[in-house]
Structures are given as C-alpha cells and as structure tokens.
Amino acid sequence: MSAATASVPVVAPGGERRLPVVALVALALIGFILIAMETMPAGLLPDIASGMATSESTVGLFVSAYALGTVIVTVPAISLTRGLRRKPLLLVGVAGLVLANLVTAVSPDVTLSLVSRFVAGSFSGVIWGMLANYAIRISPPARSGLALSIMSIGAPLGFAFGTPLGAVIGGVTDWRWSFAGVSLLALVVGLIILTVVPDAPGLPAAGRLPLGRVLGLRGVPIVLVVILVWMLAHSTLYTYVAPYLRVTGTGITPDLMLLVYGIASLGGVALVGVLLDRHPRVLLHGSAATFTLAGAVLLVGHASAPAVLIAAVLWGVAFGGTAPQLQSALTRAGGEDADIANSFLPVAFNLAIFGAGILGGLLLTAFDGLILPAAMALLGALALILTVAGRRSAFTAPRS
C-alpha cells in the first residue's frame, strides 16, 4: 500500500470519496484540547499558586514546560514514528495526554507538576505534527483545503474559549478539576477517534528522506520562517494585551477583546475553508495584509473603543485561518515526507510563543503598551513580504 493512500476511505454511492466530516471534527476536537491544555494555567495562576503554596511566576513555568516538551520532542518523535500507522499513533498520543494531565491534576509537588507538563507537551507535539497530513490523507485530494479548515477550527476555539472555560471551572470548584475535566474530554474524544476516524498507513522505509533533507526541501524553510514571524507578531500582543488596553483608556477589558478576537477567528477559518482550495495565494497574501492593517488600526485608533474592537475583528479574521493555510503549504512542500515537515510546525509555533514573552517584556520595559501593536504591524508586514517572496517555491497552488 502506498504512503499516500488512506485505508477505509469514505466512498459516495457514485464511487467518489466523500469528505469524512465527522472524522475531521474529531481531529478538530483534539486541536481544541491541545490549545486549552497548553494555555489553561495562564487563567488559573492565582488559584494554582495558592493551592500549591508557591508563586505565580513559578506557576507560569507550567506553560513554559509544556512548550519546552513540544520543542524538544516533536521532531525526533515524528521522525522515529513515520513508519507507524496513523490511527494507533494518534490514540497513543491522546492516552499520553490524558495520563500526563491527570498527574498534573493530582500532583502535590511543583517539580512533579512541571515534569508532567513537559510530558504532556511532548505528546502534544507528536499529535500536532501528524494532524494536518492525517486530515489530508483521509480526505479527497480536491478537498484538502476544506479538510484542513475543518480540522484546524479546534485551535481558534481553544484560544477563544478553552482558557476562559478552565478559569471558570477552577473558580467555581477547584483548579484541579479544570485539569481533570480536560483529561476527561480528551478521553471521550479518544473514544470517538477510535470509533469514527479511518486509519492511514505510515510511510514505507524506502520512501523516507533523512530529517535534514526534509528540512532542506524547497519551500519548507520559508514556510517555517513565515510561521515563526507571523506567530511572533500575533503572540506578542495576545500575551500582553492587558498592558496595551490599559494605555488606550477605552475601558475595554482583555476578556472582551480576546472574546471578540476569538469569535472573529472562527469567521476566518470559515473563509479559508471556502477559498483555500481555489485561491491559496491570494488568500494568504490577503490574510497577511489584513493582519498588518489590524496592527496599524490598533496603534493609530487606540483611543477609540469602536476602532479597537474593529481591529480585533480584523485581527481574528486574518489570523484565525492562518493555521490551515500554512499547514497546507508545509504539507505540499514536504510531499511524501509531510509528517516530518509538519513536525517542525509546533516547534516554530512554540518558539514564537516563548520569544513573544521575551520580546513583549523587553518592549514594555522600554516603552508603553502602544509599542505592541507597532511590533505586530511591522512583523506582520515582514510576514507579508516573505509570503510574496516565497510564492513560487513555497506558497504554490495545490495540485488537482
């Protein structure tokens, strides 16, 4: 069986493969869980610090440990598991997430909690590295863009609702129930995957490129640089949105701002689902340009509450659909080694999150919060330039 063939395809009465919507939604739910699990400690800092008799800065390392696990483990793990069938590997990843997160939920010791977060991040990276190519391989080739859009909707949902939901649960009961609840949800989704998601084969040994050569494939490096720059632009403001809003004097709260952004990002995912298969280049350039415009409006119109909220909508629409666009480009650039190419995506993603914390902190030390949308606009413009420069080597139209 070839590496590009998924087993148990969904076939319509006329003989054509149908889009496996239920299976793709199950994969999207995993994306929601991964984002919620990674960012949840940020909404529970005071509760966890009080419950474990430690400082909020120490609890902040819960996010860093998760990201570190993703960065260190993802690429070698995907490289070593390329020959394994996709569904069993995904189920092992989900099981690892459940167990690691349950350890965090019951751990009485900060060190043990940090280790469990590192392990959870490691399993998260393995799952992120395989999701995009898995979604494509169980779907009709002509519908790969729509398949990626459906699968990718979990990430913006996680950013918009995962962290606030965890904070609400922790506030009503105890912070440990937030972690236990995410583990229970992951277990349920794992059972759904076991039931409805078709399997896909691993890559035959003869067809695998060495890790270094995959990274050097034409188009892969520039896609990864765009991911790093664009995510850095996004995360610098997303992480430090509160200092920005304080300077504006508009009275807009971070919760409202991020809720508007999160809802708008769902519209961005829907837009990408409609246009990605037909107009990938125009869509990508338009998204980067709109993202840059959002940063400029946040800077120039900072004193106006309507302008700030309009900019939040532009920000959400522009950035919400970037994941399927960049995953699609990385998958096409990786070819038969798309799993390895996509394994670099969560690494670039988490490096950008780590870098945004440092960059934003340094900028706020020297300037006030208005420097953040300026940085967002400048980095967004750089991402736009890179997408234009790489339009022939990386951001090409998918083959029909």
Side-chain angles (χ1 to χ4, degrees), residues 52-150:
M52 301 194 77
T54 188
S55 66
E56 291 188 5
S57 60
T58 299
V59 176
L61 295 177
F62 280 35
V63 177
S64 300
Y66 192 103
L68 185 63
T70 300
V71 169
I72 292 177
V73 175
T74 299
V75 174
I78 292 293
S79 179
L80 291 171
T81 59
R82 276 186 288 177
L84 301 180
R85 302 192 68 84
R86 302 294 88 185
K87 185 172 179 177
L89 180 61
L90 178 58
L91 291 173
V92 169
V94 173
L97 279 174
V98 171
L99 292 175
N101 211 51
L102 282 176
V103 171
T104 305
V106 302
S107 170
D109 180 71
V110 170
T111 301
L112 177 60
S113 298
L114 291 173
V115 171
S116 68
R117 291 289 293 173
F118 177 90
V119 173
S122 302
F123 282 110
S124 172
V126 172
I127 295 173
W128 274 128
M130 65 182 292
L131 277 184
N133 197 38
Y134 196 176
I136 289 174
R137 290 169 66 184
I138 64 175
S139 303
R143 311 294 295 280
S144 61
L146 180 57
L148 278 174
S149 296
I150 295 173

Side-chain angles (χ1 to χ4, degrees), residues 5-240:
T5 303
S7 65
V8 200
V10 181
V11 182
E16 295 182 355
R17 290 173 59 191
R18 292 187 289 113
L19 195 69
V21 176
V22 176
L24 294 171
V25 169
L27 298 182
L29 288 173
I30 284 296
F32 171 85
I33 290 168
L34 295 180
I35 293 296
M37 193 175 290
E38 179 168 11
T39 60
M40 188 187 306
L44 295 167
L45 286 181
D47 300 304
I48 298 175
S50 175
M52 301 194 77
T54 188
S55 66
E56 291 188 5
S57 60
T58 299
V59 176
L61 295 177
F62 280 35
V63 177
S64 300
Y66 192 103
L68 185 63
T70 300
V71 169
I72 292 177
V73 175
T74 299
V75 174
I78 292 293
S79 179
L80 291 171
T81 59
R82 276 186 288 177
L84 301 180
R85 302 192 68 84
R86 302 294 88 185
K87 185 172 179 177
L89 180 61
L90 178 58
L91 291 173
V92 169
V94 173
L97 279 174
V98 171
L99 292 175
N101 211 51
L102 282 176
V103 171
T104 305
V106 302
S107 170
D109 180 71
V110 170
T111 301
L112 177 60
S113 298
L114 291 173
V115 171
S116 68
R117 291 289 293 173
F118 177 90
V119 173
S122 302
F123 282 110
S124 172
V126 172
I127 295 173
W128 274 128
M130 65 182 292
L131 277 184
N133 197 38
Y134 196 176
I136 289 174
R137 290 169 66 184
I138 64 175
S139 303
R143 311 294 295 280
S144 61
L146 180 57
L148 278 174
S149 296
I150 295 173
M151 185 278 295
S152 299
I153 199 171
L157 280 173
F159 277 119
F161 306 113
T163 302
L165 180 61
V168 169
I169 295 174
V172 173
T173 57
D174 181 82
W175 67 267
R176 296 182 185 276
W177 284 108
S178 297
F179 286 86
V182 173
S183 291
L184 178 60
L185 179 60
L187 179 61
V188 171
V189 174
L191 294 175
I192 295 173
I193 290 172
L194 180 65
T195 305
V196 305
V197 177
D199 194 8
L203 188 65
R208 303 178 209 161
L209 286 178
L211 181 63
R213 290 185 61 188
V214 173
L215 186 58
L217 286 174
R218 184 173 182 263
V220 170
I222 192 167
V223 177
L224 291 173
V225 172
V226 169
I227 292 170
L228 184 63
V229 171
W230 207 339
M231 187 64 197
L232 182 63
H234 163 78
S235 294
T236 299
L237 182 60
Y238 189 91
T239 303
Y240 293 101

Side-chain angles (χ1 to χ4, degrees), residues 305-344:
V308 170
L309 292 177
I310 289 172
V313 172
L314 293 174
W315 178 16
V317 170
F319 192 77
T322 56
Q325 294 181 70
L326 296 173
Q327 283 181 321
S328 178
L330 198 56
T331 298
R332 291 197 301 274
E336 290 295 318
D337 291 274
D339 279 352
I340 284 293
N342 274 288
S343 72
F344 290 103

